[in-house]
Amino acid sequence: ARTNKGNLPLRQGGRRERTCLRSAPADHALASHSSMAAFYIYPDAAMDQSTAVLECRPSWSFDDQSAEVAMLALLRQHPARVTDPEAATLFVVPLMPYVSSGAGECMGESHQRRMSRAASALRKSPFLSRRGGHDHLLITNTFRVKTFAP
């Protein structure tokens, strides 16, 4: 069977077959975590609103746009995560903009207020100003909601 650069089988006419993904060859496997960039997840309650918004929107797991929840859960357990921000080269802002937007008014606070509070807390971070935010990540997989402009 013919394949393309992504190692996906091609259908007749050159279109990718979406139902049959092959495993990546061993030489494409991820490097060991010791060579991965150390990252820090902000613990500040203004930025990590996961408990509140997940309680207010328990149906998030049925939504195809809420991969931010699973990704943050995986990052929280990742071996490259550090608890000392001085040891980090990347910083994760643990907002869940899509889930927050879907939660709406939650525990007395609107999505807009949660995003505003997070932006304010983030602007105060000495780590954000260190490289102008170029080493910061906000994980979401949707463009459908307004987050904030740092």
Side-chain angles (χ1 to χ4, degrees), residues 73-120:
L74 291 170
L75 288 174
R76 284 187 170 104
Q77 299 172 12
H78 198 279
R81 180 183 180 192
V82 295
T83 55
D84 177 7
E86 294 292 341
T89 55
L90 292 171
F91 295 82
V92 176
V93 181
L95 286 177
M96 293 186 289
Y98 183 75
V99 175
S100 173
S101 177
E105 185 74 25
C106 175
M107 298 188 182
E109 202 170 44
S110 68
H111 168 69
Q112 183 177 2
R113 177 68 186 125
R114 285 188 294 275
M115 295 299 109
S116 177
R117 198 164 48 89
S120 178

Side-chain angles (χ1 to χ4, degrees), residues 54-76:
L54 291 175
E55 284 182 24
C56 291
R57 186 160 186 220
S59 64
W60 69 265
S61 61
F62 301 108
D63 194 318
D64 67 342
Q65 293 294 312
S66 60
E68 59 198 26
V69 177
M71 185 64 176
L72 285 170
L74 291 170
L75 288 174
R76 284 187 170 104

Side-chain angles (χ1 to χ4, degrees), residues 41-61:
I41 300 176
Y42 280 99
D44 187 312
M47 288 185 256
D48 185 357
Q49 306 150 1
S50 55
T51 302
V53 296
L54 291 175
E55 284 182 24
C56 291
R57 186 160 186 220
S59 64
W60 69 265
S61 61

